[in-house]
């Protein structure tokens, strides 16, 4: 199977798993961690372009799990995390990873945050090494094995 097909299949599988857990993913910690994860993946290469912002906006609007939350609030949280990353990427990354770590207390939420990162990373069909790297770091912050997610 081609890499492109594996990425699409993995993102699709992750999305299906997220929808199955929708009713368990309503906490503020999950909300904050998922928007931090989206920002980390969008800014993984050190820049944030319009297409990455659109991908996250589409996820916020179209993702059944994230419909548990107000879309405007999610967008504000995503933008606040992006602001931290663009002001000083390395320092901002520490702060944003701390947001991701909020989901550590509940294993289902922690896994869902990683799955959202994979969905965002694979949305353009190219889950590149820098995106995989930040998702791996998030796994470590959440106490999850990156190999569990094929990272």
């Amino acid at each position: 199977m081609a890499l492109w097909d594996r990425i699409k299949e993995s993102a699709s599988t992750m999305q299906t798993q997220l929808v199955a857990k929708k009713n368990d993913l309503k906490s503020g910690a999950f909300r904050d961690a998922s928007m931090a994860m989206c920002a980390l993946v969008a800014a993984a290469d050190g820049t944030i372009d319009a297409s990455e912002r659109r991908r996250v906006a589409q996820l916020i609007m179209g993702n059944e799990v994230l419909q548990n939350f107000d879309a405007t609030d999610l967008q504000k949280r995503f933008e606040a995390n992006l602001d931290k990353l663009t002001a000083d990427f390395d320092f901002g990354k520490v702060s944003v990873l701390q947001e991701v770590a909020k989901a550590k207390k509940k294993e289902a939420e922690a896994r869902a945050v990683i799955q959202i990162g994979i969905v965002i990373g694979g949305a353009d069909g190219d889950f590149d090494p820098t995106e995989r790297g930040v998702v791996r770091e998030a796994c470590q912050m959440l106490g999850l094995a990156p190999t569990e997610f094929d990272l």
Side-chain angles (χ1 to χ4, degrees):
M1 179 184 294
L3 179 61
W4 167 258
D5 292 331
R6 283 200 324 265
I7 290 169
K8 287 193 318 190
E9 183 179 305
S10 178
S12 176
T13 300
M14 296 292 175
Q15 181 58 35
T16 301
Q17 292 171 353
L18 283 170
V19 171
K21 299 178 206 161
K22 178 181 179 178
N23 292 329
D24 298 331
L25 303 172
K26 294 183 178 180
S27 76
F30 172 72
R31 175 201 61 213
D32 295 351
S34 63
M35 288 303 96
M37 182 88 252
C38 288
L40 274 174
V41 173
D45 63 1
T47 61
I48 301 125
D49 62 33
S51 69
E52 289 167 320
R53 287 179 188 267
R54 276 193 304 276
R55 269 198 332 246
V56 174
Q58 289 170 344
L59 175 77
I60 290 170
M61 296 304 292
N63 187 287
E64 287 182 55
V65 175
L66 294 177
Q67 288 176 4
N68 285 334
F69 307 102
D70 177 68
T72 303
D73 183 48
L74 292 176
Q75 186 69 26
K76 285 179 187 174
R77 291 174 189 282
F78 171 69
E79 293 292 336
N81 284 308
L82 284 182
D83 289 346
K84 291 176 188 176
L85 292 165
T86 54
D88 180 333
F89 185 78
D90 292 328
F91 188 71
K93 186 173 163 186
V94 171
S95 175
V96 174
L97 280 169
Q98 288 173 339
E99 288 292 306
V100 169
K102 288 181 176 182
K104 188 174 185 174
K105 292 179 185 173
K106 294 183 180 176
E107 193 172 318
E109 290 182 357
R111 282 189 164 71
V113 167
I114 297 302
Q115 290 170 331
I116 283 175
I118 293 168
V119 168
I120 287 291
D124 64 354
D126 181 28
F127 192 28
D128 68 47
T130 56
E131 292 169 337
R132 286 178 178 273
V134 296
V135 176
R136 263 194 307 276
E137 286 182 67
C139 283
Q140 292 165 349
M141 288 295 291
L142 294 167
L144 299 171
T147 54
E148 180 182 337
F149 301 94
D150 204 19
L151 297 170

